[in-house]
Amino acid sequence: MPTPATRSDTRVRMVMRKLPHVTVLFWVLKIVATTLGETGGDLLAQTLNVGYLVSTVIFFVLLVVAVVVQLKARRLHPAIFWTVIALTSTAGTTLSDLMNRTGGIGYTGGAAILCAGLAIVFIAWWRSGQTLDVENIATFRGEMLYWIAILFSNSLGTSSGDFLSDSLGFGFSISALMLSAIMLLLLGLHYFTRVNGMLLFWIAFVLTRPLGATVGDYLSKPLDHGGLAWGTMWTSAALLAALIGLIAYQTVQVRRHPLQPLPAPTHRRTGAPQRPNGEVVLA
C-alpha cells in the first residue's frame, strides 16, 4: 500500500484558471458589456461633452488599473474580468471615434488601421510560443497578448459598426440583423464543421462589438436618427444593471461549480516550462 509520501509524489502542478470558459453566458455577457461600452463612451464624450480625447485618456487610465488588477489576480474573478472587457469597449469606442471623427481618418480608414494592428498582435502572439487557446492561457505574457488583442478587437468593432450603419447606409436595425445572422452562421460552423475554433472565436469576438454598437445606438439615438431615443444615460444605466446581474449570476455559478485547473504552462513549440500567472495547486 502506497505511503502518504508516495501518493504526494504522484501529484502534478496545476494552475487555477483566470479566464472563463467560452459558453453562451460568455457571449451574452460580452454583448451586454460591449453595448455598454458604446453607450458609456458616448455618454462621457458626447452627452457630457467631455470630448473624445479626454474621454479616451480617462478610460485608458481606468483600463490600465483594471488590467493590472486582473493580471495580479490568482484565479478567475468574474467582476474583475468583465470590468476589463467593459473598459476595453469604452476605451475602444472613444479611441475609434477620436481617430475616425476628430482625426478625420474616416470609418473605412480607421477600420483598416485597427485591422492591421490586430493582425500584428496575432503575429506577435503566434511567434511568442504562447498558447492560442483562449480558455487555457496561464502565463503573464499570454494574458497580456490576450488583452491587447481584445482592445484592438473592440476598437475595430466600433469602426466596423459605424462603417456598416453610416458609411454603407444600412442603419442601426438592419446592421444589427445582419451581424446577428453572421453570428448564427459562425455558431453553425462551430458545431457542424471543422473550421478552427480559435479563428471562429476571434471573428465572433470582433463582430459582437459592432453588434453591441449598433444595438446601443438603436436604443440611445433619437427617433429621427433611427433609434428609440432612450438616451445614452438611461441606456447605459439599464445595460449596467443587466451586466451586474449577469456577473453576479456567473460568480455564483463559479463558486458552486469551480473551474477545473490547467496543467502547468509550456512553450507551444519547444515544450519548455513557463512561469504560471495564476495560483499553483497540486492535483
Side-chain angles (χ1 to χ4, degrees):
M1 183 175 181
T3 64
T6 305
R7 283 198 298 270
S8 66
D9 291 340
T10 65
R11 294 185 297 176
V12 295
R13 295 171 74 244
M14 305 288 283
V15 184
M16 297 303 297
R17 292 178 185 269
K18 296 181 60 183
L19 307 177
H21 290 303
V22 181
T23 62
V24 173
L25 178 60
F26 175 93
W27 291 115
V28 172
L29 274 159
K30 168 65 167 58
I31 292 171
V32 173
T34 52
T35 307
L36 175 61
E38 175 70 17
T39 59
D42 288 345
L43 172 63
L44 188 63
Q46 298 177 19
T47 306
L48 299 180
N49 203 29
V50 174
Y52 294 125
L53 177 58
V54 176
S55 297
T56 300
V57 171
I58 292 172
F59 285 130
F60 264 89
V61 170
L62 294 174
L63 175 61
V64 169
V65 173
V67 168
V68 169
V69 173
Q70 167 66 25
L71 290 172
K72 290 189 174 217
R74 307 307 294 162
R75 60 178 66 198
L76 173 66
H77 297 283
I80 300 173
F81 177 86
W82 290 108
T83 295
V84 180
I85 292 288
L87 285 170
T88 59
S89 299
T90 50
T93 295
T94 54
L95 173 63
S96 177
D97 288 340
L98 177 65
M99 292 170 53
N100 301 339
R101 299 175 183 176
T102 306
I105 296 175
Y107 299 134
T108 306
I113 291 172
L114 292 167
C115 190
L118 183 59
I120 291 171
V121 173
F122 284 139
I123 292 171
W125 195 339
W126 174 262
R127 291 176 61 85
S128 73
Q130 303 297 313
T131 179
L132 299 175
D133 187 344
V134 296
E135 290 190 343
N136 294 321
I137 294 172
T139 65
F140 178 87
R141 190 175 183 185
E143 193 175 350
M144 276 296 299
L145 288 165
Y146 174 82
W147 288 117
I148 294 171
I150 282 180
L151 177 60
F152 270 94
S153 299
N154 282 333
S155 301
L156 173 60
T158 299
S159 287
S160 358
D162 290 335
F163 176 74
L164 280 175
S165 58
D166 293 339
S167 298
L168 296 183
F170 289 137
F172 304 130
S173 55
I174 294 178
S175 296
L177 289 173
M178 289 175 56
L179 291 165
S180 298
I182 295 173
M183 291 294 293
L184 289 174
L185 174 62
L186 293 174
L187 184 65
L189 291 174
H190 172 70
Y191 282 108
F192 301 111
T193 71
R194 295 185 178 180
V195 178
N196 183 273
M198 288 304 98
L199 175 62
L200 292 177
F201 171 85
W202 285 108
I203 293 174
F205 203 95
V206 171
L207 291 179
T208 51
R209 184 63 188 92
L211 176 59
T214 51
V215 170
D217 285 339
Y218 179 65
L219 294 173
S220 62
K221 296 299 183 184
L223 295 174
D224 58 357
H225 282 68
L228 294 181
W230 286 14
T232 54
M233 186 172 295
W234 288 110
T235 303
S236 298
L239 291 167
L240 180 61
L243 183 63
I244 291 172
L246 289 167
I247 289 173
Y249 173 77
Q250 186 176 57
T251 301
V252 171
Q253 290 297 102
V254 169
R255 287 178 180 174
R256 288 179 178 174
H257 308 285
L259 302 180
Q260 291 297 314
L262 296 165
T266 58
H267 193 279
R268 193 183 71 252
R269 294 193 300 270
T270 66
Q274 295 180 310
R275 183 178 178 181
N277 193 38
E279 180 182 348
V280 177
V281 295
L282 294 175

